[in-house]
């Protein structure tokens, strides 16, 4: 048995701190996903917003998450991580109360847009702390399992939200549940016990690389393409299913199948990531996802609707942790927060563009063209990965 194998056998993956940040991350995404799939319906039912306006209002959240990412990575690397995490998590929790107070479309748009900032910062801080508390020999595997908290939340929350809405016809109750759930996550993170670490000393001149991992520019561009596709589908799948396929409440099952695919592929992929098969995982995931988006664009029936969800989940479950590991492996340990924020920035840019562009296309030429556009952009990212990104990562990785 080699030293590495011995370490992997002895070092514990699910230590108490990792378990806490895992559960706290579940609470972030449960409270987030409880609302996200139903917000287009909420805006339509409550404020009579059209498709283009829905896209504009909801893209603001992603825009502000994007704007805060580079600075949150900088703060996480430069100040005590627990204090930064609790500050951002607290703000994320408080903003759910703003939805209860927003009585007009304008006020709702303002609250929703501003809420994106603490969400973006909290996800960076929480995931960075998760990586910190993992032993180096379990880090790649731990990154994969950490994402399961997102996926399980995404499987449960939409279905529960639609059940509650059908039972009570109350969006307000859903806002309250999100507020309480996020508060529980904040309380859990308050009990973290982190070891002191050396903070990054500020240089005389602040460089771009302190806010975005410039070595990962090609990875970032392809991630934007993959996120664009997801942004289109995730935002408009509920309205599309209801208006064109007569599937009422079907988006809950869509997200459940998506999450099942994500969970299954992460369980398999986490093991292979530990074996160092990073680009192989990414390659498999990207190809599977492209097939899923093609199915959704081609088949305008429940088979395409639900089948694509499972396939896209299987693909993204391989792709996402592999990409996050690629960013982490391109960065020195002093830029771990920056690496984390960079991959999330890339995702936010793509999702935001997908929401905005998808809304415009759906409003003017229909949903089918919006979903075909999602697939085309996904294939552009796939081509970029195989043509350049894969070999570039292998040349530049630090570990």
């Amino acid at each position: 048995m080699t030293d590495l194998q011995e370490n992997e056998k002895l070092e514990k993956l699910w230590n108490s701190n990792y378990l806490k940040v895992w559960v706290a991350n579940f609470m972030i995404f449960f409270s987030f996903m409880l609302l996200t799939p139903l917000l287009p319906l909420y805006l339509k039912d409550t404020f009579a917003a059209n498709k283009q306006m829905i896209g504009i209002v909801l893209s603001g959240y992603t825009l502000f998450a994007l704007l805060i990412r580079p600075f949150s990575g900088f703060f996480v690397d430069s100040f005590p991580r627990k204090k930064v995490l609790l500050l951002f998590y607290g703000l994320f929790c408080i903003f759910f109360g703003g939805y209860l107070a927003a009585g007009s479309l304008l006020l709702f748009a303002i609250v929703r847009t501003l809420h994106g900032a603490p969400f973006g910062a909290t996800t960076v801080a929480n995931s960075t702390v998760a990586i910190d508390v993992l032993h180096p020999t379990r880090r790649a595997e731990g990154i994969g399992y950490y994402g399961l908290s997102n996926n399980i939340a995404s499987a449960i929350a939409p279905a529960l939200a639609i059940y509650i809405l059908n039972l009570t016809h109350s969006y307000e109750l859903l806002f309250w549940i999100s507020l309480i759930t996020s508060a529980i996550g904040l309380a859990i993170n308050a009990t973290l016990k982190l070891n002191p670490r050396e903070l990054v000393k500020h240089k005389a001149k602040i460089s771009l690389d302190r806010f975005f991992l410039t070595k990962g520019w090609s990875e970032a561009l392809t991630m934007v393409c993959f996120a664009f596709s997801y942004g289109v589908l995730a935002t408009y799948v509920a309205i599309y299913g209801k208006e064109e396929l007569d599937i009422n409440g079907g988006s809950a099952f869509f997200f459940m199948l998506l999450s099942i695919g994500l969970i299954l592929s992460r369980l398999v992929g986490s093991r292979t990531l530990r074996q160092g098969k990073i680009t192989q995982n990414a390659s498999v995931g990207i190809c599977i996802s492209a097939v899923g988006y093609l199915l959704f664009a081609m088949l305008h029936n429940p088979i395409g609707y639900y089948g694509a969800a499972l396939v896209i989940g299987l693909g993204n479950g391989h792709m996402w942790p592999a990409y996050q590991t690629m960013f982490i492996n391109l960065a020195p340990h002093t830029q771990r927060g920056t690496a984390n924020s960079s991959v999330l920035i890339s995702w936010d840019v793509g999702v935001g563009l997908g929401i905005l562009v998808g809304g415009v296309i759906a409003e003017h030429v229909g949903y089918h063209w919006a979903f075909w556009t999602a697939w085309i952009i996904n294939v552009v990212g796939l081509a970029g990965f195989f043509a350049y990104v894969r070999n570039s990562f292998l040349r530049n990785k630090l570990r």
Side-chain angles (χ1 to χ4, degrees):
M1 181 178 290
T2 65
D3 291 341
L4 179 59
Q5 289 173 323
E6 184 68 24
N7 284 337
E8 288 179 346
K9 181 179 178 181
L10 296 176
E11 295 299 337
K12 188 176 180 181
L13 174 63
W14 294 93
N15 61 68
S16 61
N17 278 326
Y18 179 69
L19 185 59
K20 288 175 183 177
V21 293
W22 193 98
V23 174
N25 193 57
F26 172 87
M27 297 301 182
I28 293 171
F29 280 90
F30 182 89
S31 58
F32 173 72
M33 288 301 298
L34 195 71
L35 301 182
T36 299
L38 291 180
L39 285 181
L41 294 175
Y42 172 74
L43 294 175
K44 181 184 177 183
D45 294 343
T46 307
F47 303 115
N50 62 27
K51 300 181 189 75
Q52 187 169 339
M53 182 55 66
I54 290 170
I56 292 171
V57 171
L58 297 184
S59 63
Y61 185 95
T62 305
L63 175 63
F64 263 56
L66 165 66
L67 291 176
I68 198 64
R69 296 283 198 201
F71 301 100
S72 55
F74 177 79
F75 291 142
V76 166
D77 284 338
S78 304
F79 300 98
R81 282 184 179 154
K82 182 177 177 179
K83 292 181 179 178
V84 172
L85 172 59
L86 294 181
L87 172 63
F88 290 147
Y89 209 134
L91 291 173
F92 172 72
C93 175
I94 290 169
F95 265 93
F96 282 110
Y99 298 135
L100 295 163
S104 68
L105 181 61
L106 176 61
L107 283 176
F108 184 91
I110 292 172
V111 172
R112 181 65 180 173
T113 298
L114 293 176
H115 198 185
F119 172 77
T122 303
T123 49
V124 170
N126 205 76
S127 61
T128 305
V129 169
I131 293 169
D132 279 346
V133 299
L134 286 165
H135 189 273
T137 60
R138 309 303 297 269
R139 189 164 291 149
E141 184 182 11
I143 289 172
Y145 284 125
Y146 177 80
L148 284 174
S149 56
N150 306 9
N151 305 148
I152 295 172
S154 298
I156 297 171
L160 181 61
I162 290 174
Y163 174 78
I164 292 172
L165 185 63
N166 289 336
L167 186 67
T168 66
H169 305 287
S170 173
Y171 288 103
E172 182 176 305
L173 178 59
L174 295 174
F175 295 147
W176 274 110
I177 294 172
S178 290
L179 175 61
I180 293 168
T181 302
S182 60
I184 293 172
L186 175 63
I188 291 170
N189 267 344
T191 66
L192 285 170
K193 296 178 181 178
L194 305 181
N195 295 326
R197 65 181 185 85
E198 183 180 354
L199 300 179
V200 175
K201 296 180 180 179
H202 296 287
K203 300 175 183 178
K205 183 178 180 180
I206 300 296
S207 64
L208 175 63
D209 206 44
R210 294 295 297 115
F211 299 95
F212 186 87
L213 191 68
T214 53
K215 283 177 64 177
W217 68 267
S218 61
E219 286 81 359
L221 287 177
T222 50
M223 178 63 92
V224 168
C225 295
F226 306 140
F228 179 97
S229 307
Y230 183 81
V232 175
L233 260 69
T235 303
Y236 300 105
V237 67
I239 291 182
Y240 166 70
K242 183 177 181 180
E243 292 185 357
E244 300 208 5
L245 301 181
D246 197 27
I247 300 175
N248 290 310
S251 61
F253 192 45
F254 176 93
F255 281 102
M256 184 174 292
L257 287 172
L258 179 74
S259 298
I260 289 171
L262 286 163
I263 291 167
L264 291 174
S265 58
R266 279 185 183 270
L267 289 173
V268 174
S270 293
R271 296 281 183 180
T272 54
L273 281 175
R274 188 177 66 181
Q275 297 167 7
K277 298 178 181 179
I278 299 171
T279 55
Q280 294 93 324
N281 260 32
S283 300
V284 169
I286 291 165
C287 292
I288 294 175
S289 293
V291 172
Y293 288 112
L294 180 61
L295 284 175
F296 197 92
M298 285 181 62
L299 302 180
H300 308 141
N301 55 42
I303 295 175
Y305 188 87
Y306 292 122
L310 182 61
V311 175
I312 292 169
L314 289 169
N316 282 3
H318 278 293
M319 179 274 294
W320 175 262
Y323 256 71
Q324 187 173 14
T325 304
M326 287 164 68
F327 273 84
I328 296 298
N329 287 359
L330 287 171
H333 72 279
T334 55
Q335 287 187 278
R336 196 172 288 160
T338 302
N340 258 326
S341 67
S342 297
V343 68
L344 293 169
I345 287 168
S346 308
W347 185 259
D348 289 341
V349 169
V351 169
L353 288 173
I355 294 171
L356 193 59
V357 175
V360 172
I361 295 174
E363 179 70 23
H364 293 287
V365 293
Y367 289 115
H368 297 165
W369 278 105
F371 298 138
W372 274 113
T373 302
W375 176 72
I376 291 169
I377 298 299
N378 193 267
V379 171
V380 170
L382 182 151
F385 177 82
F386 285 103
Y388 182 81
V389 173
R390 182 171 55 175
N391 290 332
S392 174
F393 167 73
L394 294 174
R395 288 195 307 268
N396 295 303
K397 66 178 182 176
L398 299 180
R399 50 191 173 274

